Amino acid sequence: MSVDHRVGPPSFGDERETLRAFLDYHRATLAMKCEGLSDEELRQRSMPPSTLSLLGLVRHMAEVERTWFRRVFEDHDVPLVWSDEADFQAAYDARTSTRAEAFAAWEAEVAHARRIEAAAPSLDLAGYQPRWDEEVSLRMVMVHVLLEYGRHNGHADFLREGVDGTVGA
């Protein structure tokens, strides 16, 4: 991996600034875990029967961002990118995917999420979560997505180590 260019979250800040900074830090962590690897290396699976790979994690997080920001606050019916049935596991199977494809989708969804969050008058903005059939706040969505990144960045640590031995951060 190259030099760590991530910006850490503030030690002091309001709730929104802190949530935004932690999300961006974790987004940057996932990107950093994939830096310098070929498409083939990014597709390298953890171990059978899992289809989990770094590229699969990028695809999965694109779906997470899309589901929790765009589908909750803008368009409940926008389809997922890699599944017609809202099967989040489908994104993990990246055998034929490329860095360009996966990162383009993920970066587009991150941009949508940032736009939605920036335009919201407060963290109390309510959106409808179709899978749960209930309203949720922007605050809850940001925390949920942050937890998804934290969990999956742990997977990314192990996956990257398995590809080329790189550990840390």
Side-chain angles (χ1 to χ4, degrees):
M1 283 186 297
S2 61
V3 177
D4 186 351
H5 296 289
R6 296 172 299 170
V7 175
S11 297
F12 293 91
D14 67 25
E15 180 183 20
R16 191 170 191 162
E17 176 186 10
T18 301
L19 287 172
R20 182 186 299 137
F22 267 102
L23 259 176
D24 283 340
Y25 181 82
H26 275 282
R27 288 166 174 151
T29 298
L30 181 58
M32 185 180 78
K33 293 295 176 183
C34 298
E35 281 180 5
L37 297 177
S38 68
D39 284 0
E40 183 178 323
E41 290 169 319
L42 289 169
R43 286 190 293 263
Q44 190 172 330
R45 293 177 176 197
S46 59
M47 60 197 273
S50 177
T51 60
L52 189 63
S53 67
L54 286 165
L55 205 53
L57 284 177
V58 172
R59 288 167 42 120
H60 176 75
M61 291 312 298
E63 299 287 40
V64 167
E65 295 266 6
R66 185 180 191 95
T67 297
W68 283 98
F69 286 97
R70 199 185 318 195
R71 290 182 93 182
V72 167
F73 297 106
E74 284 187 344
D75 181 358
H76 307 309
D77 298 319
V78 68
L80 293 181
V81 179
W82 290 285
S83 171
D84 293 333
E85 300 93 35
D87 175 9
F88 289 89
Q89 302 306 315
Y92 286 141
D93 189 356
R95 288 177 288 186
T96 61
S97 191
T98 65
R99 170 191 293 274
E101 172 206 33
F103 272 84
W106 178 63
E107 289 166 356
E109 293 308 325
V110 167
H112 273 356
R114 286 180 176 141
R115 182 182 48 73
I116 290 166
E117 184 273 323
S122 80
L123 293 175
D124 294 323
L125 176 71
Y128 178 71
Q129 201 339 318
R131 291 182 71 201
W132 294 357
D133 191 29
E134 68 178 334
E135 287 198 342
V136 295
S137 70
L138 176 60
R139 175 184 297 101
M140 183 268 161
V141 167
M142 291 178 77
V143 169
H144 182 85
V145 173
L146 178 59
L147 291 172
E148 283 274 332
Y149 273 104
R151 179 172 62 148
H152 292 308
N153 281 339
H155 298 139
D157 285 338
F158 289 120
L159 287 163
R160 180 63 190 249
E161 183 177 7
V163 170
D164 68 359
T166 300
V167 296

